[in-house]
Amino acid sequence: MYLGIETSSAVSSVAVMDDQRLIGELTVQAGLTHSEQLVPHIELLLKQSGVAKTALTGIAVSIGPGSFTGLRIGMGTAKALAYALNIPLLGIMTMDGIAHNFWQFSGVLAIMVDAQKKNVYEGRYRWVNGKLVCEQEPTVKTRDEALKALAALDEPVILAGDGIIKFGHTLADYGPNLQLASPALRIPKASGVLLAAMPRFLAEAPDEAAHVVPYYIRRSEAEVVWDAKHPELVAAGKVPNPTVVVTEAATALADEVKNHD
């Protein structure tokens, strides 16, 4: 039994799956923070699905790109559970998970994650003979630049992700081949994270817990501002490591998870 966690955006999503079927999924866009709802959602999902924490054999978590805070909370929780239960943890790129919402789509899947200031992280995928192929690794582009390039393709393009949702009404201005995915498929979901991770789980991929860190692509605005205010520390190589937050969160949660049952 496997647990999936997706917190890379405003969407909070958790899912439970075995190697044959999706047992349950809870996906919410209610405006609450991940720190408020993630652990309660996991507990509710497991209870409603009749799955004990001790029945879990692996965890998959979204690693980004996406919300800096959301990713740290998701990874901290995932590491805590994996540590407490002594089970493998795999990190899955956010865009890989979203692309798995579109099983066997014939055309280009363009996943756009909001990168702020009219920019997006854009990744492109295609299903080939039942396998998902990444044709373009996540790349920072202006939204306009990305849409113009996609409109120039001579084939259908489905767009998903929070980098395009608010601008779906503008797609017709670029070309008839661009289409915004349906509301249920355009958002990141934990079931997609698990589907992306399943081949590795079934192949008994090694535990990646010690190496799972947020995939940011570029540094957060807060870190850039910090550097500007502390040039002497930057010059001395004393820049804070944001992944420490994840490790500390995992350590703090581990005892709570162990004692909960």
Side-chain angles (χ1 to χ4, degrees):
M1 205 74 68
Y2 305 95
L3 174 68
I5 297 174
E6 167 56 71
T7 57
S8 65
S9 68
V11 178
S12 175
S13 184
V14 292
V16 177
M17 179 183 293
D18 61 20
D19 58 357
Q20 298 292 326
R21 62 192 178 116
L22 176 66
I23 307 299
E25 182 170 34
L26 177 57
T27 301
V28 179
Q29 298 185 79
L32 297 176
T33 65
H34 293 301
S35 60
E36 293 176 287
Q37 60 187 354
L38 180 56
V39 172
H41 283 176
I42 292 173
E43 293 178 341
L44 176 60
L45 175 66
L46 294 178
K47 180 179 179 180
Q48 293 295 318
S49 301
V51 177
K53 288 189 182 76
T54 52
L56 296 175
T57 55
I59 299 174
V61 63
S62 175
I63 62 172
S67 161
F68 290 75
T69 301
L71 290 171
R72 294 178 190 182
I73 292 171
M75 262 174 273
T77 303
K79 287 193 174 190
L81 287 168
Y83 172 79
L85 299 171
N86 193 28
I87 57 177
L89 172 65
L90 299 182
I92 299 298
M93 192 184 303
T94 300
M95 294 178 177
D96 290 359
I98 297 176
H100 275 81
N101 292 348
F102 303 89
W103 176 256
Q104 296 290 50
F105 170 71
S106 179
V108 176
L109 295 170
I111 314 299
M112 294 187 182
V113 173
D114 187 14
Q116 305 298 320
K117 299 181 179 179
K118 298 182 180 181
N119 294 319
V120 294
Y121 304 118
E122 183 211 357
R124 297 184 191 177
Y125 297 81
R126 187 189 302 273
W127 286 97
V128 179
N129 297 325
K131 294 184 178 181
L132 185 66
V133 176
C134 180
E135 295 190 330
Q136 177 190 281
E137 295 290 338
T139 306
V140 180
K141 301 179 181 180
T142 67
R143 189 177 291 104
D144 182 65
E145 174 190 7
L147 290 174
K148 285 180 178 177
L150 291 168
L153 300 177
D154 187 25
E155 58 184 319
V157 178
I158 286 285
L159 294 104
D162 66 358
I164 192 59
I165 290 175
K166 294 180 181 179
F167 302 89
H169 64 282
T170 69
L171 296 183
D173 298 334
Y174 288 89
N177 64 321
L178 304 186
Q179 181 179 350
L180 182 64
S182 69
L185 300 178
R186 67 182 63 156
I187 61 175
K189 296 192 289 186
S191 55
V193 171
L194 282 174
L195 287 171
M198 196 57 65
R200 290 159 61 189
F201 276 132
L202 296 180
E204 298 184 352
D207 180 15
E208 300 175 356
H211 306 289
V212 172
V213 295
Y215 179 54
Y216 291 144
I217 298 183
R218 63 181 186 183
R219 304 180 73 210
S220 72
E221 189 71 19
E223 291 170 312
V224 173
V225 171
W226 191 94
D227 285 357
K229 291 182 177 179
H230 305 86
E232 70 287 352
L233 294 180
V234 174
K238 298 180 179 180
V239 179
N241 183 353
T243 61
V244 170
V245 176
V246 176
T247 304
E248 290 176 347
T251 302
L253 279 169
D255 291 336
E256 177 182 342
V257 174
K258 285 181 178 179
N259 296 328
H260 187 272
D261 293 334

